[in-house]
Amino acid sequence: MSYKQLLYSIPPAPAINPSLTSGTFKLNIVPKPDNVPTDKILVRVHYLSLDPAMRQWLTAKRSYIAPVELGAVMRGQSTAQVISVGSNLKTTFKVGEWVVAFSGWQEYAILDPREVQKVTLPPGGRPTDAMSVLGMTGLTAYFGMLEVGQPKAGDTVVVSGAAGATGMVAGQIARIKGAKRVVGLAGSVEKCEFLVRELGFDAAINYKDVDWRKQLKEATPEYIDVFFDNTGGDILDACLARAARDARFVICGAISQYNAAKPKGPASFMTVISQRVTIKGFIVFDYAKKYSTALQELASWISAGKLKRKEHIVHGGLEAAPQALVDLYAGVNTGKMMVEVATTSDALGGKAKL
């Protein structure tokens, strides 16, 4: 029996080419292992996480993580099921258990126990939460907003990429923590309506509108105290021009610039001086020692109905991942984007355990 992998084949130039014959990734077929080493587990991937940071993982030389090497399985996290357990781990893992795994882009993976985490869900939780609101996505929003942005009562908080997986959680956290006004920027009328009607944002601006800068000014009459940025580019520049005194700008991502040949910074930089603005980038790994406390609070908000989430599931198996990643940068998704590599009906024990 064999299974599929996607290998990093050709560096983007600068955008990702989704073709599986001449593009960034190459399809590879390998034999499924018959024997699992005594200190490893074999997992089957069901849902593969797609994340904006993946573009940087391919080429960034001076970053928080080493780039993916050419010829290697593309890096990625997944929701997976334990298929086989090495003899030394029989008391730790059971066949059929669900885990979040650093599996990479492949249908099966042999992993070290440190590369997997068992899925535990609060009341009202669902398995895919482990890769979204109760995973790195939720933790990124949590620490970026609370540790860096530090919203307080009376603040105006603006979130770019607000209908994306991280942005929608960040905006809701600001609301939970007492922000006076929460404004989101997104790329369609439907996304803006979702932010206001479903998530409780006070206002949402379609940045594709001709007059979006005017709308931003009207939506922030008391200027911006906290800006949680997922996009960079023109939106960062416009929000910096609206910064309040002692504003905190949380630089989580810059998805508008990841595929640009020459990424650009803000022209409104003098505002940093005049308004004493703090601009700080962060990486979620910086707060690893606080993950447990954060996850408990995120879980309590889900159970209480204070924190909502949405997923964008791409069907078509592993081969759909490259085009889906390109689509992620084009902003087609609302919420967390995942690729369904294998259906839950194909899982050991069927759907009952997931």
Side-chain angles (χ1 to χ4, degrees):
M1 182 179 177
S2 60
Y3 68 96
K4 301 171 185 174
Q5 303 173 321
L6 286 177
L7 308 182
Y8 179 29
S9 179
I10 301 173
I16 290 169
N17 180 347
S19 171
L20 289 178
T21 57
S22 59
T24 305
F25 305 103
K26 179 179 70 174
L27 186 65
N28 190 43
I29 308 295
V30 294
K32 183 181 174 184
D34 294 324
N35 299 305
V36 177
T38 59
D39 59 344
K40 309 287 185 183
I41 64 172
L42 174 67
V43 303
R44 184 183 187 185
V45 171
H46 281 263
Y47 290 95
L48 187 67
S49 174
L50 294 185
D51 304 287
M54 286 176 164
R55 173 61 184 82
Q56 295 296 91
W57 295 348
L58 298 179
T59 55
K61 295 294 187 289
R62 186 170 179 261
S63 187
Y64 63 96
I65 191 170
V68 181
E69 294 184 6
L70 285 171
V73 174
M74 176 57 186
R75 181 182 294 145
Q77 192 179 50
S78 65
T79 298
Q81 189 178 34
V82 177
I83 300 299
S84 183
V85 181
S87 58
N88 291 350
L89 299 174
K90 296 288 187 181
T91 59
T92 305
F93 294 96
K94 305 296 181 185
V95 171
E97 285 184 321
W98 290 92
V99 295
V100 172
F102 287 96
S103 61
W105 285 17
Q106 52 188 342
E107 294 177 319
Y108 290 85
I110 291 180
L111 301 173
D112 184 277
R114 291 171 294 184
E115 297 175 299
V116 301
Q117 181 178 359
K118 293 184 182 183
V119 173
T120 56
L121 298 173
R126 52 188 184 233
T128 46
D129 287 342
M131 283 200 309
S132 58
V133 70
L134 294 179
M136 287 299 170
T137 296
L139 290 170
T140 298
Y142 183 95
F143 291 116
M145 184 58 73
L146 298 185
E147 295 280 346
V148 184
Q150 301 179 7
K152 57 184 182 296
D155 277 353
T156 293
V157 177
V158 175
V159 180
S160 67
T166 302
M168 67 171 55
V169 177
Q172 291 181 88
I173 290 174
R175 168 66 69 214
I176 290 169
K177 291 297 183 178
K180 178 181 179 180
R181 187 165 178 78
V182 179
V183 179
L185 289 108
S188 72
V189 172
E190 293 77 15
K191 289 181 179 183
C192 290
E193 290 177 347
F194 170 74
L195 292 173
V196 174
R197 294 179 182 177
E198 299 294 327
L199 302 189
F201 281 54
D202 295 286
I205 298 162
N206 182 356
Y207 65 80
K208 294 180 181 179
D209 287 346
V210 174
D211 66 341
W212 69 269
R213 289 178 175 82
K214 179 175 179 290
Q215 293 181 46
L216 176 65
K217 182 177 180 179
E218 293 172 349
T220 56
E222 298 178 10
Y223 296 99
I224 299 171
D225 298 293
V226 178
F227 177 49
F228 192 105
D229 190 22
N230 292 297
T231 60
D234 291 340
I235 291 175
L236 171 58
D237 197 26
C239 288
L240 191 56
R242 297 292 300 162
R245 170 75 180 266
D246 297 317
R248 287 85 68 201
F249 273 48
V250 185
I251 309 302
C252 179
I255 195 169
S256 74
Q257 302 299 300
Y258 289 157
N259 289 314
K262 293 182 179 180
K264 64 178 181 179
S268 304
F269 201 73
M270 294 300 289
T271 309
V272 176
I273 302 170
S274 64
Q275 300 304 317
R276 294 73 153 176
V277 179
T278 298
I279 301 178
K280 183 175 181 180
F282 77 102
I283 300 298
V284 66
F285 301 151
D286 298 343
Y287 302 96
K289 293 181 179 179
K290 299 182 179 181
Y291 283 0
S292 178
T293 299
L295 289 171
Q296 288 178 14
E297 190 160 27
L298 287 165
S300 71
W301 292 336
I302 290 174
S303 297
K306 295 180 178 180
L307 187 58
K308 299 179 181 179
R309 68 283 204 211
K310 187 176 178 64
E311 297 155 355
H312 182 107
I313 306 296
V314 177
H315 302 283
L318 187 67
E319 294 93 328
Q323 182 60 55
L325 185 58
V326 171
D327 292 342
L328 176 70
Y329 296 118
V332 305
N333 61 300
T334 298
K336 177 67 178 180
M337 183 178 265
M338 306 177 194
V339 174
E340 185 183 65
V341 177
T343 65
T344 52
S345 60
D346 290 337
L348 296 176
K351 293 183 179 181
K353 292 186 178 181
L354 184 59

